[in-house]
Amino acid sequence: MNVDLIVQRPEGLYCPPGDFYIDPWRPVPRAVITHAHGDHARMGNGHYLASQKSEGVLRSRLGADIHLQTLAYGETVDHHGVRLSLHPAGHVLGSAQVRLEHGGQVWVASGDYFVSGAEDHNTTCEPFEPVRCHCFITESTFGLPIYRWQPQREVFDDINRWWQRNADAGRASLLMGYSFGKAQRILAGVDASIGPIVTHGAVDPLNEAYRAAGVALPATHRVTDLDKAALSRALVIAPPSVQGSAWARRFGDASDAFASGWMQLRGARRRRAVDRGFVLSDHADWPGLQRAIRATGAERVIVTHGYEAIMVRWLQEQGLQAEAFETEYDDERVAAEKPAGDVESNE
């Protein structure tokens, strides 16, 4: 008789034979962390296990003294008879899928991952690696057929043209996006020859973690490093919370924009009330979700955060055993909908 290797508990997703949790939302003795976004990596756990490349970001966010064990991608450990390994998810620096093997069963919990129907991959981290398994636990943040990403080179070309037009007009370009992952992907993709790049204080430590992990990012400045003339040609990368703040108003008549997968929705663009919306996500689009699920060969799929009901129905129509887990993850939605207000100082 096969035993489920992961079940729901009030604290999070739990592995009964291994006695540990994956990305728990309440404090537990042992937590396996897929990546360092705040909805997946929370404070208060007794012991953390994560990928080697996520160590810098995890310690900067959760504290340098957390009890953290790391694994290289593909390295295995045995815990209470469960063979565990981590595999690239392509989402952000250090992001991982968790592979569990026990009693002849293989399960994979994806966390968040990026696979695009445009066959792009995130150049700031290792690309998503399909892992064969009996049961795949997939995210579904953008699990609707309307979500289809255009090739990211086209998105960055649009961003560069917007920035160049603003620079020629003597206006700064304020581009808002999530501080961890999205900001670094923008940095790696834009044409840094157009003008100086300013980053908000919330972005700077994440940039340093990426650079320390060997990811090439262009030179960035703090706002106080540049004079007024330089700022008028600058691309300013900041978290969504700066919108309407005193920090943002220092750039005067800047053009503002927001980068997120949610910008594909007209209503989301209207609510943001920015000059431009760029559709850029670190999550899989609808074709990417389908491609990733098929590549696992799983006959059973469990859907977490996003459009669970729609994804479950589609999976069942494909002849797969499908169901949903209720979780408390949703970083893209939180980033997109977080109101303007409290802003970390960049001084």
Side-chain angles (χ1 to χ4, degrees), residues 8-13 21 24-26 328:
Q8 293 181 90
R9 278 193 172 182
E11 298 89 344
L13 304 184
Y21 289 81
W25 43 84
R26 296 180 188 173
E328 297 184 12

Side-chain angles (χ1 to χ4, degrees), residues 157-198:
D157 286 346
D158 285 346
I159 293 173
N160 288 331
R161 283 192 288 270
W162 167 76
W163 179 15
Q164 184 69 66
R165 281 197 302 272
N166 293 332
D168 291 346
R171 303 176 74 194
S173 301
L174 173 58
L175 180 52
M176 292 170 280
Y178 202 62
S179 298
F180 172 35
K182 186 65 59 60
Q184 292 73 37
R185 195 163 163 216
I186 293 169
L187 279 169
V190 296
D191 178 3
S193 70
I194 294 174
I197 301 175
V198 173

Side-chain angles (χ1 to χ4, degrees), residues 262-310:
W262 301 111
M263 290 298 98
Q264 189 150 337
L265 298 177
R266 185 179 303 171
R269 293 197 298 271
R270 186 173 59 249
R271 283 194 296 276
R272 269 286 157 191
V274 290
D275 296 332
R276 288 291 306 269
F278 297 106
V279 182
L280 185 69
S281 178
D282 301 325
H283 291 260
D285 61 2
W286 175 252
L289 287 165
Q290 296 180 5
R291 192 148 59 96
I293 292 168
R294 287 195 186 100
T296 68
E299 62 264 20
R300 181 181 177 190
V301 181
I302 300 174
V303 182
T304 63
H305 55 303
Y307 299 96
E308 297 98 324
I310 293 168

Side-chain angles (χ1 to χ4, degrees), residues 3 5 7 15 17 26 70 98-99 109 123 140 149 161 167 210 225 259 264 276 279 291 296 299 317 326 328 333:
V3 174
L5 297 190
V7 299
C15 176
R26 296 180 188 173
T70 62
V98 183
R99 181 187 186 276
T123 60
S140 185
W149 311 145
R161 283 192 288 270
Y210 272 73
D225 295 338
Q264 189 150 337
R276 288 291 306 269
V279 182
R291 192 148 59 96
T296 68
E299 62 264 20
E317 289 171 354
E326 291 185 8
E328 297 184 12
R333 195 182 304 273

Side-chain angles (χ1 to χ4, degrees), residues 30-331:
R30 297 188 70 89
V32 179
I33 302 299
T34 62
H35 64 288
H37 274 145
D39 57 334
H40 290 259
R42 306 191 190 220
M43 294 183 178
N45 296 304
H47 179 277
Y48 293 85
L49 176 67
S51 76
Q52 278 182 349
K53 292 205 169 183
S54 68
E55 179 171 1
V57 180
L58 278 172
R59 290 195 185 279
S60 73
R61 297 195 136 193
L62 302 181
D65 59 347
I66 60 171
H67 191 184
L68 173 63
Q69 176 186 358
T70 62
L71 294 179
Y73 288 131
E75 183 181 358
T76 61
V77 292
D78 189 286
H79 188 72
H80 295 177
V82 177
R83 188 176 172 85
L84 184 153
S85 56
L86 303 176
H87 302 266
H91 177 58
V92 293
L93 179 66
S95 61
Q97 304 168 80
V98 183
R99 181 187 186 276
L100 306 178
E101 182 174 355
H102 180 268
Q105 288 286 303
V106 175
W107 286 44
V108 172
S110 70
D112 291 332
Y113 63 92
F114 175 71
V115 176
S116 170
E119 300 188 356
D120 284 331
H121 73 273
N122 184 343
T123 60
T124 60
C125 62
E126 286 79 359
F128 175 87
E129 174 188 304
V131 181
R132 302 287 291 184
C133 57
H134 299 98
C135 181
F136 184 54
I137 300 178
T138 181
E139 65 138 313
S140 185
T141 303
F142 291 103
L144 279 181
I146 61 170
Y147 294 111
R148 297 171 187 270
W149 311 145
Q150 67 185 107
Q152 59 185 328
R153 188 64 263 162
E154 295 179 9
V155 179
F156 288 123
D157 286 346
D158 285 346
I159 293 173
N160 288 331
R161 283 192 288 270
W162 167 76
W163 179 15
Q164 184 69 66
R165 281 197 302 272
N166 293 332
D168 291 346
R171 303 176 74 194
S173 301
L174 173 58
L175 180 52
M176 292 170 280
Y178 202 62
S179 298
F180 172 35
K182 186 65 59 60
Q184 292 73 37
R185 195 163 163 216
I186 293 169
L187 279 169
V190 296
D191 178 3
S193 70
I194 294 174
I197 301 175
V198 173
T199 48
H200 185 269
V203 177
D204 292 337
L206 285 314
N207 289 346
E208 292 312 306
Y210 272 73
R211 289 177 175 125
V215 179
L217 299 178
T220 55
H221 307 271
R222 305 194 101 187
V223 64
T224 50
D225 295 338
L226 303 179
D227 60 22
K228 188 175 180 180
L231 287 176
S232 70
R233 296 188 57 81
L235 174 67
V236 182
I237 299 176
S241 56
V242 306
Q243 189 173 19
S245 69
W247 188 89
R249 287 196 293 275
R250 70 176 62 188
F251 300 103
D253 183 32
S255 179
D256 58 1
F258 191 65
S260 167
W262 301 111
M263 290 298 98
Q264 189 150 337
L265 298 177
R266 185 179 303 171
R269 293 197 298 271
R270 186 173 59 249
R271 283 194 296 276
R272 269 286 157 191
V274 290
D275 296 332
R276 288 291 306 269
F278 297 106
V279 182
L280 185 69
S281 178
D282 301 325
H283 291 260
D285 61 2
W286 175 252
L289 287 165
Q290 296 180 5
R291 192 148 59 96
I293 292 168
R294 287 195 186 100
T296 68
E299 62 264 20
R300 181 181 177 190
V301 181
I302 300 174
V303 182
T304 63
H305 55 303
Y307 299 96
E308 297 98 324
I310 293 168
M311 179 58 77
V312 166
R313 185 167 69 243
W314 180 82
L315 291 164
Q316 291 171 341
E317 289 171 354
Q318 310 311 306
L320 298 174
Q321 182 184 352
E323 61 198 281
F325 276 168
E326 291 185 8
T327 67
E328 297 184 12
Y329 313 134
D330 211 349
D331 59 326

